[in-house]
Amino acid sequence: MRNQQWPWFAIMARTGREKNAILTLENSGYECYLPVIKFTRQWSDRLKEIELPLFPGYLFCRMNPHNRLPVLMTPGVIQIVGVGKTPIPVEEQEIAAIQRVEKSGVSIMPWPYLQVGHVARIEEGPLRGLTGIVVRIKSGLKLVLSVNLLQRSIAVEIDRSWIGAAYPAGSAGQQTGYTSLNFSSPRSHQLETA
């Protein structure tokens, strides 16, 4: 199954059973991905590193959409995300962006789904080349990346110096006039024409 590059599909799984479903699917030859968030939890007698799914109840799997019965029969799997009985693939660049963020080591967290805001391209740092919506939280900045099919987002901390050109969400950089975000003042969200 690995010699054919099938698209990624979002698989709805029973919450808490995502890892078991992944193991079963991978043992059957599927390429799977379960984005996780890692944190340390303090118990009374020890510290323990905990891994939880970034999107509880979902995992991603490369599969042939015309041969989905083996995936659907996997213990823990509820359904393949789509419209009616037609599975809809997840955008390749959305999965690639989340994988890259996870490998970069920057702080990552679940975030409310965003569709509006100013999209910026990261030009420096470990996330160079990624594009997402930039939001200001207290004194810091976060880059929000979304899986549109699931309407779920994640946020990662970024440094202001990493940000390149910005444009309104929805234009996807198709405009000829790029703008740059001015985050110099904590109260300003001004745009400057570049």
Side-chain angles (χ1 to χ4, degrees):
M1 287 186 206
R2 291 185 188 270
N3 54 4
Q4 169 68 42
Q5 186 73 0
W6 297 109
W8 287 106
F9 289 90
I11 310 295
M12 184 184 290
R14 298 196 189 288
T15 304
R17 304 281 310 273
E18 301 95 344
K19 288 182 182 179
N20 292 341
I22 287 261
L23 287 173
T24 304
L25 287 167
E26 286 179 339
N27 286 336
S28 298
Y30 291 94
E31 181 182 352
C32 298
Y33 174 53
L34 179 65
V36 295
I37 184 171
K38 297 176 185 177
F39 59 95
T40 304
R41 180 161 287 170
Q42 173 73 46
W43 299 97
S44 60
D45 60 339
R46 66 185 189 275
L47 289 173
K48 185 174 182 183
E49 187 169 274
I50 306 285
E51 272 189 5
L52 291 176
L54 207 47
F55 306 116
Y58 293 97
L59 57 99
F60 301 98
C61 180
R62 287 192 187 274
M63 56 170 254
N64 177 349
H66 304 294
N67 184 21
R68 56 187 178 261
L69 190 58
V71 173
L72 291 169
M73 298 300 291
T74 302
V77 169
I78 297 172
Q79 68 182 40
I80 301 166
V81 178
V83 177
K85 294 187 179 207
T86 305
I88 305 292
V90 177
E91 294 292 328
E92 192 75 31
Q93 67 269 19
E94 292 175 350
I95 298 294
I98 292 169
Q99 288 174 326
R100 178 131 176 246
V101 165
E102 209 174 10
K103 289 177 187 171
S104 74
V106 296
S107 177
I108 184 172
M109 67 183 70
W111 198 259
Y113 179 66
L114 293 179
Q115 287 183 292
V116 295
H118 282 88
V119 175
R121 181 172 173 82
I122 303 300
E123 300 293 343
E124 299 293 331
L127 305 178
R128 181 190 331 231
L130 291 184
T131 302
I133 297 174
V134 176
V135 294
R136 176 188 289 285
I137 305 301
K138 295 182 184 176
S139 63
L141 297 175
K142 295 202 182 289
L143 179 71
V144 178
L145 303 169
S146 298
V147 177
N148 292 315
L149 180 65
L150 298 180
Q151 294 192 349
R152 303 280 175 101
S153 299
I154 61 168
V156 295
E157 293 178 19
I158 58 171
D159 187 274
R160 169 62 185 104
S161 64
W162 297 355
I163 301 173
Y167 45 89
S171 69
Q174 302 295 323
Q175 298 178 343
T176 55
Y178 280 87
T179 57
S180 62
L181 295 175
N182 176 6
F183 289 111
S184 56
S185 165
R187 295 179 186 244
S188 71
H189 277 285
Q190 301 169 355
L191 290 176
E192 299 172 347
T193 305

